Amino acid sequence: MEHHDPLDHLGRMLMASYVLISKTLGWLPIPIGLPPIDGEWDGTIADDAIDAARISLRYLPLDETTQSLLVRLLLEWLTGRALWEAAAAQEAPPTAWQYEAIAYTLTRITSLHQVVEPRLRSDQD
């Protein structure tokens, strides 16, 4: 039977949410690009890009609610990545609460995206 590492799975889910966020930022009135996931990509590059996007949102022509949702979406990703990085770096296996905290962060990312997507794409219906 094949063993599946839950932390590896959560890491792949964080990468997938990064791709989703990248797509979402492309829908902005002035699109914000994130570095693609390729051979040069790593978590530090992603952290820096997501944080720069978070700061850039302040200067875009967005209503306050949409801007707030997007900032929280990016902060959730940064939080999830930080939790994942801490769990991956420790010598002992991650605890149940660490797995649950990362998974819950991914749930919040999905929920925020579901709320913000129609706000950004309402003119494309």
Side-chain angles (χ1 to χ4, degrees):
M1 182 173 175
E2 192 174 328
H3 173 71
H4 295 285
D5 178 5
L7 192 60
D8 184 56
H9 174 72
L10 291 169
R12 287 193 309 275
M13 296 298 294
L14 279 167
M15 288 175 63
S17 66
Y18 176 89
V19 172
L20 180 67
I21 289 169
S22 182
K23 183 177 176 181
T24 304
L25 294 176
W27 298 331
L28 293 170
I30 301 169
I32 297 175
L34 296 179
I37 296 176
D38 60 16
E40 302 294 315
W41 189 91
D42 68 18
T44 304
I45 290 170
D47 289 347
D48 292 345
I50 293 278
D51 191 44
R54 182 186 63 80
I55 293 165
S56 296
L57 286 170
R58 298 176 190 162
Y59 306 103
L60 294 182
L62 296 168
D63 66 84
E64 187 176 330
T65 301
T66 302
Q67 182 183 50
S68 178
L69 288 165
L70 286 164
V71 166
R72 279 156 183 69
L73 175 69
L74 300 179
L75 286 172
E76 286 296 346
W77 191 89
L78 289 167
T79 300
R81 233 264 320 139
L83 289 168
W84 184 90
E85 186 70 29
Q90 66 193 30
E91 288 185 33
T95 62
W97 75 260
Q98 287 173 306
Y99 289 128
E100 289 175 30
I102 297 165
Y104 188 54
T105 298
L106 289 164
T107 299
R108 290 190 306 268
I109 289 169
T110 301
S111 297
L112 285 163
H113 181 265
Q114 289 172 345
V115 174
V116 81
E117 179 181 15
R119 299 181 71 87
L120 294 175
R121 298 184 50 120
S122 63
D123 60 335
Q124 298 176 15
D125 291 334

